[in-house]
Each structure stands twice: as structure tokens, then as C-alpha cells.
Amino acid sequence: MKSLVELYHRFSQLIHELFKFGTIGVLASIVTLGVSNLLWHFLGSGPLTGSVIATVIATVIAFLGNRFWTFRHRDRTGLAREYFLFFVFNGIGLLIQLLCLGFTVYTLKLDGFWARNISNNVVGLGLGTLFRYWSYKKWVFLPPSEPPIDPHTGLPEADEANKPVAADGTVPRAGEMRSRLNGHPVAPDPEITPDR
């Protein structure tokens, strides 16, 4: 039981992210399913046209949900940039769906309610969703920025406002503060003289 708790803590951010992504995905899938079937069976739209229109509407909903809920903890790199890339990768996901639907309808000659829904809204949407999740994490919603690493200590560098200051008002050299904390005397650097 302890190992399951440790495993959960280790992957908790990924688990929460996947849950939120899945929730948004289910909502977008319901929109895709409803709109595509409305267009196909009630408005007489062609198979590919109905799928494209439904996917574009679902994409707008998915972008808003993923940006402001699923990946809200990630860096904001500009709404225009994120929106553009989101639509590019959704376009590729849509192409995956259309290939599945087109193969079923035009190559296998299986055209009907179940054939369209299984090929487009189950197989195509499933494969497209896997691609979308991977591409969003990789290129659209970037991980939070981390401070630069100090090459001398291997530790993250503090920003100027939070750098430690010695008693004489100078900023300690890399490793100097650690030596002071450990009780070791630090020889002054001959090249750096404090302003007096």
C-alpha cells in the first residue's frame, strides 16, 4: 500500500493532468459526436464536411478548457502562439480522423450510422486524441520556466532580488555562502574589492 501512495505522489501531477485532459476530451467528443450526427443525418451534410465542422467547434471548446484548466500551471507563451499551434496540431488530429473515416466510407464502402461513428468518433478520435495530448505537452503548453543553473554549484541561480547579501553588503561568490554557513572561513577574492 505504501508503494502505491509513493507511486501516486511521484506521478500525481501527470495523473491530475490526464484526468483534466480526459474530462475536456469527453466534453469535446460529445460536441463532435452531437454536431457531426446533426450535420450528417438531419442537415444532409457529407461525411467529411460534417466531421470538419464538428471538429472545429469542439477544438475551440477544447482549447479553452485545456489552456485555462488542464495546463493552467504551465507557462503562458502568448495566447496567439498557443492558439495557432493548438489549431495546427488539432488539424493533424483531424486529418487522422478523416483518414479513418474516408478509409471506411470510400475504400471499404461501409457507409451508415455505425460505420461513420465507429471509424470517425471511436477509432479516428482515439488515435487523434493520443496525438493531441502528446503534441500539446511537447509544443503548445510548455512546462513552467525554471531558473538558470549556476555552473559552479549545480544549483538554481537566485534572481537578483533574492540573492543573499553578506554582512558587509556584498553579494557572496558561488559557494561562499555555503562555506560561511558551514563555519569555514572564506578568503577574500583579490580581484573583488567591496565599495566603501
Side-chain angles (χ1 to χ4, degrees):
M1 186 59 133
K2 184 179 178 182
S3 62
L4 285 176
V5 172
E6 289 173 357
L7 195 62
Y8 172 77
H9 286 299
R10 183 174 181 188
F11 295 104
S12 65
Q13 183 174 350
L14 178 63
I15 291 167
H16 291 223
E17 208 172 73
L18 283 170
F19 172 76
K20 291 175 181 179
F21 182 79
T23 302
I24 298 297
V26 166
L27 178 63
S29 297
I30 290 169
V31 170
T32 302
L33 184 66
V35 172
S36 61
N37 278 289
L38 174 72
L39 292 170
W40 290 336
H41 302 294
F42 295 103
L43 300 177
S45 171
L48 301 181
T49 304
S51 182
V52 168
I53 293 169
T55 302
V56 168
I57 293 169
T59 298
V60 171
I61 292 168
F63 175 78
L64 295 172
N66 283 309
R67 170 68 280 172
F68 297 107
W69 188 45
T70 307
F71 298 111
R72 74 173 178 228
H73 62 284
R74 291 178 166 252
D75 270 356
R76 309 267 172 157
T77 58
L79 207 54
R81 176 202 164 274
E82 292 172 354
Y83 203 62
F84 173 75
L85 288 176
F86 194 87
F87 266 90
V88 166
F89 293 123
N90 266 284
I92 295 170
L94 174 61
L95 181 62
I96 292 169
Q97 280 180 256
L98 294 178
L99 288 172
C100 293
L101 179 62
F103 178 76
T104 301
V105 172
Y106 299 114
T107 304
L108 298 178
K109 306 289 187 210
L110 298 172
D111 191 14
F113 178 82
W114 291 110
R116 286 186 184 189
N117 278 289
I118 290 172
S119 64
N120 185 69
N121 296 322
V122 176
V123 177
L125 189 61
L127 293 174
T129 298
L130 291 174
F131 170 77
R132 287 177 180 108
Y133 180 73
W134 171 76
S135 63
Y136 297 166
K137 282 188 65 128
K138 181 100 173 138
W139 288 296
V140 181
F141 305 118
L142 303 178
S145 297
E146 295 182 8
I149 302 298
D150 183 331
H152 301 292
T153 64
L155 299 173
E157 292 180 352
D159 60 0
E160 292 298 322
N162 294 323
K163 278 192 176 177
V165 178
D168 61 1
T170 62
V171 176
R173 297 185 317 262
E176 187 176 319
M177 187 58 103
R178 186 178 45 210
S179 296
R180 286 184 182 168
L181 291 173
N182 291 333
H184 300 114
V186 178
D189 191 335
E191 295 179 11
I192 301 176
T193 56
D195 294 334
R196 299 205 191 253

